Amino acid sequence: MTTTIRPTDARLLAADALRHLALDERAKAHIEQDQVLRPLFERMAARYIGGATLPECLERITAVNAQGHAATVDYMGENTRDAAKAHAETEEFLRLVQALQGRQFNSSVSLDLSHIGLIIEPEICHYNAGRIAAAAREIGTEMIVSMEWSARTDLILAAYERLCSEHSNVGITCQARLHRTPADLDRLLTLPGKIRLVKGAYQETADVAYPRGSDELRATFLGLACRLIASGHPCSIATHDPDLLDELETFITAGGWRAQPYEFEMLTGLGNLEGLRQRGHPTREYVVYGREWFLYLCNRLAEEPERLFTAVADALGARP
Ligand SMILES: Cc1cc2nc3c(=O)[nH]c(=O)nc-3n(C[C@H](O)[C@H](O)[C@H](O)COP(=O)(O)OP(=O)(O)OC[C@H]3O[C@@H](n4cnc5c(N)ncnc54)[C@H](O)[C@@H]3O)c2cc1C
C-alpha cells in the first residue's frame, strides 16, 4: 500500500528534514569536500549570504548602503567549544569593525555570544564581546547580540546586562515565540540598548514557545512590536512577514509614530525591504558572511520549504 503525503505534511516533513540536515556534521563535511555537490550548494547559499570572505561581504554592504538601507554584519558561527577558536573568531570580528571604519559604511555588527565563548566560560565571552563592543563604539556603531535557543536565554540576558553596564552601544534580540518574552521586555526596556524583535528560529517545545506559523505567535509579535515602537526605545522590527508588516505600517501611520527610533530589518535575499524604504521607513539589511554557510542555508530553506524550488533553480544556474 502506498501512503499519500498531503501538501502540508510534505512541507512539514521537508522543514524537519532540513533542520536535521543543518545539524548533520557528516553530511556537511561530505558536501563541502565533494567536487560536484559543493558548487551546487554554494550557488544555493549565494542568495542568502554576503560572501565567504570579508572583502566579498564589504562589497555587499556597499551595495546595501547604495540602495539606501543601513546594514548589520554577522560573521557566521555559533557554539564554539574551544577558547583559542573563540579568541581567533573575535579577531575576525575586530578586523570586520576595522574594515567598516576604513570605508565609512553605515553598518553595525551582529553576533551570537556562543560564537565567541559563551558556552566555554562566560568570562571569556565577556572579554571578547567587550573588545568588539569597544571597537564598534570607537567607530560610532552598535553591536547587537543575537538570541539563541531558549535553554540559553537566561545566560545570554545575564551576559547582555553585564555588557550594558560597561558599553552603551550594545543591543539585544528578543524572540516573540517565547512565553517569557513580554516579562523579559519589561527588564530590557530599562537598559539603553536597541531591542531587535524576531519570531524565533529554534526548535522549541510547546511549554516554552508558541508554534511556528500559529495565530498566537502572530498576535504576540504584533503586540510586542507595537509596544516597542510606541515606547520610544530604539528598536528593530525584524520580520519578512508581509501581513504583519502591513499591520505595522498602518499602526505607525495611524499613531503618528514615524519619528520614533524604529527600523525594519530583514535578512539578505528575503522579504521586500525596498518597498518599506520607498514608503519612508528606516530599513536595515542583516548581512552574514563566512565559510559556515551550510547551517545558515538549511535554516533559511527550512523556514519556508517552498524556497527549495528557488534553491534548485539557483543551483542549476537558472537565476535571472
Ligand atoms: C534581522 C533578523 C535577525 C534575526 N535574528 C534572529 C535571532 O537572533 N534569533 C532567532 O532565533 N532568530 C532570528 N531571526 C530569524 C527569525 O526568528 C525568523 O525565524 C525568521 O525571520 C522567519 O520569520 P518571519 O517573521 O520573517 O516570517 P515567516 O514566519 O518565515 O513568514 C511569515 C509568512 O510570510 C510569508 N513570507 C515570508 N517571506 C515572504 C516574501 N518575501 N514574500 C511573500 N511572503 C513571504 C511566508 O510564506 C509566511 O506565510 C532573525 C531574523 C531577522 C530578519
Side-chain angles (χ1 to χ4, degrees):
M1 195 181 87
T2 53
T3 311
T4 308
I5 299 175
R6 292 192 303 277
T8 48
D9 294 340
R11 214 174 165 277
L12 293 175
L13 284 171
D16 208 36
L18 284 161
R19 287 199 180 92
H20 278 96
L21 183 64
L23 301 174
D24 186 335
E25 288 294 325
R26 280 184 60 207
K28 178 181 170 226
H30 180 76
I31 289 163
E32 283 178 352
Q33 282 155 25
D34 190 280
Q35 303 279 316
V36 176
L37 288 176
R38 187 186 167 100
L40 292 177
F41 274 79
E42 279 177 343
R43 285 203 287 275
M44 289 184 206
R47 175 179 292 275
Y48 303 109
I49 68 173
T53 63
L54 179 53
E56 286 169 10
C57 177
L58 296 178
E59 272 180 43
R60 178 68 204 174
I61 309 172
T62 306
V64 168
N65 286 170
Q67 287 160 9
H69 312 301
T72 189
V73 189
D74 185 356
Y75 167 54
M76 278 178 282
E78 57 188 317
N79 298 332
T80 304
R81 296 187 186 278
D82 171 67
K85 175 145 195 247
H87 293 310
E89 299 293 83
T90 301
E91 292 300 325
E92 174 67 15
F93 276 106
L94 293 172
R95 279 191 288 279
L96 162 63
V97 175
Q98 221 170 26
L100 293 178
Q101 176 180 33
R103 296 224 222 143
Q104 310 263 303
F105 290 108
N106 178 3
S107 180
S108 59
V109 175
S110 290
L111 50 74
D112 282 320
L113 291 180
S114 73
H115 189 182
I116 54 165
L118 186 71
I119 57 172
I120 306 166
E121 167 64 58
E123 205 52 46
I124 294 177
C125 172
H126 183 70
Y127 174 73
N128 286 337
R131 290 180 71 204
I132 300 166
R137 193 182 50 223
E138 267 189 36
I139 65 161
T141 195
E142 297 166 306
M143 180 186 93
I144 311 291
V145 173
S146 294
M147 190 49 76
E148 304 179 39
W149 63 304
S150 62
R152 289 192 186 148
T153 309
D154 281 328
L155 197 59
I156 293 170
L157 291 182
Y160 171 66
E161 287 189 29
R162 191 171 165 208
L163 283 168
C164 275
S165 67
E166 295 166 20
H167 306 274
S168 55
N169 62 326
V170 181
I172 186 76
T173 307
C174 282
Q175 296 159 325
R177 282 186 75 195
L178 299 192
H179 302 318
R180 59 176 288 165
T181 295
D184 287 339
L185 264 192
D186 293 341
R187 240 163 86 207
L188 295 173
L189 281 165
T190 66
L191 301 169
K194 181 189 280 180
I195 300 173
R196 174 195 285 142
L197 182 68
V198 301
K199 284 184 185 166
Y202 292 79
Q203 292 279 48
E204 303 285 359
T205 51
D207 55 326
V208 295
Y210 298 115
R212 282 197 184 86
S214 63
D215 290 344
E216 295 101 317
L217 171 55
R218 258 193 107 261
T220 306
F221 188 100
L222 189 60
L224 294 175
C226 292
R227 180 178 166 198
L228 278 171
I229 293 166
S231 73
H233 193 92
C235 65
S236 168
I237 309 303
T239 178
H240 317 102
D241 187 325
D243 297 337
L244 271 177
L245 289 166
D246 278 353
E247 292 196 49
L248 285 166
E249 281 196 83
T250 305
F251 170 77
I252 289 167
T253 307
W257 301 120
R258 286 258 177 185
Q260 299 288 66
Y262 73 88
E263 66 187 9
F264 288 112
E265 190 174 3
M266 293 184 186
L267 304 175
T268 297
L270 298 176
N272 180 7
L273 208 53
E274 180 55 18
L276 289 164
R277 189 194 67 78
Q278 283 175 4
R279 292 190 293 280
H281 300 285
T283 48
R284 187 178 296 273
E285 182 173 310
Y286 188 117
V287 183
V288 300
Y289 80 97
R291 303 201 185 275
E292 291 298 322
W293 48 262
F294 181 74
L295 177 109
Y296 189 81
L297 170 68
C298 292
N299 281 334
R300 297 291 78 80
L301 298 182
E303 263 162 22
E304 193 65 47
E306 282 76 6
R307 287 179 194 149
L308 281 168
F309 293 114
T310 315
V312 170
D314 288 343
L316 301 178
R319 197 170 171 182

